[in-house]
Amino acid sequence: MAEAHDAVEVIVTKRDGGRLSDTMIDWVVDAYTRGVVADEQMSALAMAILLNGMDRAEIGRWTDAMIASGERMDFSGLSRPTSDKHSTGGVGDKITLPLAPLVAACGVAVPQLSGRGLGHTGGTLDKLESIPGWRAGLSNDEMLAQLESVGAVVCAAGDGLAPADKKLYALRDVTGTVEAIPLIASSIMSKKIAEGTGSLVLDVKVGTGAFMKTEETARELAETMVALGTDAGVHTVALLTEMSTPLGLTAGNAIEVEESVEVLAGGGPADVVELTLALAKEMLAGAGVTDVDPADKLADGSAMDTWKAMIRAQDGDPDAPMATARESHDLVAPASGVLTRLDALAVGTAAWRLGAGRSRKEDPVQAGAGVRWHARPGDQVTEGQPLMTLLTDEPDRFERALAVLEGSFDISSDGSFTAGPIVIDRVGK
Ligand code: URA
C-alpha cells in the first residue's frame, strides 16, 4: 500500500510547477484506479501535468505505477525471442498486418496487443475484424499457445493490463489532456512493458495525419519512450516516420487487409513495403536476429504462410472474399499535372466519415468503407481521371466526406516534385 497523500496536495504541487515525489505518484495512480481519487481531481492533475510537464524520473515512476495497477505477462518460457512494434497512429497504417507474420517467419515471436480505432486513425483490430470469422479476444493461454505454434498473435489487450491507463486515457480523451508527452509516453509504455515483450520498436509518426505534427515534438516523445523502455530492461528503439501523406493506396478496413495481403504476396505499394521491411529489420535486430533478410521471407512466400496460419488460429478464413461497400463515388482530378500533395488528415477523416472509423468507442464500423486513392505524390494525373474512390454502405455519408477532402491535394502543372524519406530518423541504440 502506497504512503497516503491528499489529492489536493498532489494537484497543487504540480499546478505550482513542483515535482511529484515517488510516494505521491504511487498513491495518486493507485487511489485513482480504486476510485478514491475522483475523476475531477485526476482531470485537474492531468491538466497541471500537460501545462507544467514532468521530468524523466517522474515519468518513469508514473509508468511503473500504471504497470503495477494490473497484471504483467511473461513470455520468457517461449522457445524463441519476442519483439513487438507500436505505432503512434496514422492514416492507411496497416503495417502491423504484413509485419507481424513477416517477423514471425524470420524466427522471432510477435505478441501484439492492439486497440480499436478512435477518430481519424484506423485501428488494427477493426481491420482484422473485416476478415470473416476472425476474433480479437484471446485468453492469455491461447495467446501463449499461438505464439509457440504460429509465432505471431495480434489480439485485443485484456482488462487486466494497466487498468490505470484504461481509466486515465478515457478521462484524458474528454478533458483536452491527451496531448501531454509525459502522459502519452507513460500510457503507451506501461502497456508495452506490462505485455512482457523482450524488445520493442516504436513507429512515431510525424505530420498532418499524426498526433505529433512536428519533428521536434515527435523526437521528444520518441526519446522519452525509448528511455522508459530501456530503463525497464526492454530493448527499445524508435523510428520517426512520415505521416503527412497517407500510407499506401487505401484507408479503411477490408481494403487495407487486401493491400496488406498484396505486400505478403510480394507486391503492394512501395512505401508500405519499405516501411514494413525497415521495421522488420529493427524488430529482428532488437531480438538478436541479424542473419535473416526479411525481404527473402516476403519473396519466398513464408510470410504469407504465417499470415494464413495466424488468421486461421483466430478462427478467420484468410481465403474468404472480403466485404465490399455497397456504394462508391469517384472524386476526379480537376486538372492535369503532377500530384504534389495528398493530405493524410483529410483522407483519414474522410474514411472515418464514410463509416470506416468510430466517434464513440461503442460505435460499430463498416468493413467495406474507406477511401482508395489512385495516385501518390509524384505521380502524373490527367484531368477527369478518378483521383480517389470513396466507399460506404450509406450514400448519405458522401457529402461530409467530400467536404473534408476539399483542398486536400495539389496538382502542379510544372511537374516539379521531390519526395522526402519515409523513415526520417532513428532514436535509440
Ligand atoms: N495511445 C495510447 O495508448 N496512449 C496515449 O496516450 C496516446 C496514444
Side-chain angles (χ1 to χ4, degrees):
M1 173 74 69
E3 180 189 326
H5 285 270
D6 176 72
V8 176
E9 168 208 0
V10 179
I11 296 164
V12 166
T13 301
K14 190 43 79 182
R15 183 200 67 191
D16 294 345
R19 275 196 88 251
L20 301 182
S21 68
D22 288 353
T23 59
M24 279 180 176
I25 291 171
D26 294 350
W27 177 80
V28 81
V29 171
D30 176 60
Y32 177 60
T33 311
R34 290 186 292 113
V36 171
V37 166
D39 276 348
E40 58 270 26
Q41 293 175 311
M42 191 48 116
S43 308
L45 181 58
M47 185 59 81
I49 291 169
L50 182 137
L51 296 173
N52 291 326
M54 290 206 280
D55 66 25
R56 284 280 163 88
E58 287 176 288
I59 302 172
R61 190 74 183 201
W62 189 277
T63 306
D64 288 345
M66 297 225 288
I67 295 168
S69 72
E71 64 175 334
R72 269 186 100 142
M73 299 186 74
D74 180 10
F75 300 126
S76 57
L78 288 178
S79 61
R80 32 181 162 178
T82 51
S83 196
D84 192 9
K85 185 255 335 184
H86 178 85
S87 160
T88 56
V91 178
D93 185 2
K94 70 274 298 167
I95 302 292
T96 291
L97 276 53
L99 181 64
L102 173 59
V103 170
C106 296
V108 170
V110 183
Q112 164 112 176
L113 297 175
S114 290
R116 291 191 164 72
L118 200 60
H120 75 276
T121 62
T124 298
L125 299 183
D126 295 323
K127 300 180 215 282
L128 285 166
E129 278 175 343
S130 68
I131 300 171
W134 189 86
R135 69 185 166 98
L138 295 187
S139 68
N140 290 358
D141 286 347
E142 284 176 316
M143 190 176 173
L144 266 173
Q146 188 173 326
L147 278 174
E148 195 62 59
S149 61
V150 178
V153 175
V154 183
C155 66
D159 287 340
L161 212 72
D165 176 64
K166 218 161 242 137
K167 202 171 167 194
L168 180 56
Y169 190 65
L171 185 75
R172 288 166 56 212
D173 209 23
V174 293
T175 55
T177 52
V178 167
E179 289 84 359
I181 285 180
L183 296 179
I184 298 174
S186 55
S187 165
I188 292 172
M189 293 306 293
S190 62
K191 287 174 285 197
K192 289 292 156 183
I193 296 166
E195 170 196 282
T197 186
S199 67
L200 177 65
V201 179
L202 299 159
D203 181 0
V204 180
K205 303 285 187 200
V206 188
T208 63
F211 247 127
M212 297 292 138
K213 308 290 181 201
T214 67
E215 201 176 312
E216 191 192 350
T217 52
R219 191 178 300 281
E220 189 187 339
L221 177 62
E223 284 171 353
T224 307
M225 292 195 292
V226 168
L228 287 173
T230 306
D231 287 351
V234 180
H235 183 279
T236 308
V237 299
L239 298 184
L240 304 189
T241 73
E242 209 290 316
M243 188 31 73
S244 287
T245 302
L247 268 168
L249 292 167
T250 56
N253 296 310
I255 54 176
E256 288 201 48
V257 173
E258 285 165 348
E259 191 171 282
S260 304
V261 170
E262 284 169 26
V263 172
L264 288 160
D271 61 329
V272 178
V273 176
E274 181 184 339
L275 187 52
T276 302
L277 290 175
L279 290 164
K281 283 181 188 151
E282 292 289 353
M283 287 172 75
L284 294 172
V289 174
T290 50
D291 57 348
V292 185
D293 183 351
D296 294 342
K297 301 292 176 188
L298 278 184
D300 71 10
S302 47
M304 177 70 98
D305 292 343
T306 306
W307 159 262
K308 291 190 174 187
M310 176 179 112
I311 298 303
R312 286 197 185 104
Q314 287 169 249
D315 301 333
D317 179 354
D319 302 314
M322 298 293 288
T324 51
R326 282 197 288 273
E327 308 283 339
S328 72
H329 177 94
D330 283 341
L331 175 62
V332 300
S336 295
V338 172
L339 185 70
T340 53
R341 183 179 68 90
L342 179 63
D343 182 65
L345 178 60
V347 171
T349 307
W352 175 31
R353 289 184 179 179
L354 288 164
R358 54 171 69 77
S359 302
R360 292 172 315 159
K361 62 181 187 312
E362 52 282 356
D363 290 349
V365 299
Q366 293 179 26
V371 179
R372 191 186 289 282
W373 48 105
H374 305 286
R376 293 190 49 79
D379 290 347
Q380 183 78 38
V381 299
T382 307
E383 183 178 346
Q385 79 161 76
L387 197 55
M388 294 180 231
T389 301
L390 281 53
L391 302 161
T392 183
D393 291 336
E394 298 163 11
D396 57 352
R397 290 178 177 264
F398 284 132
E399 193 179 329
R400 291 196 66 234
L402 286 166
V404 77
L405 289 170
E406 240 168 70
S408 66
F409 58 88
D410 292 325
I411 295 172
S412 155
S413 54
D414 74 11
S416 58
F417 175 78
T418 318
I422 294 170
V423 178
I424 298 165
D425 206 354
R426 181 180 185 282
V427 174
K429 294 211 180 68

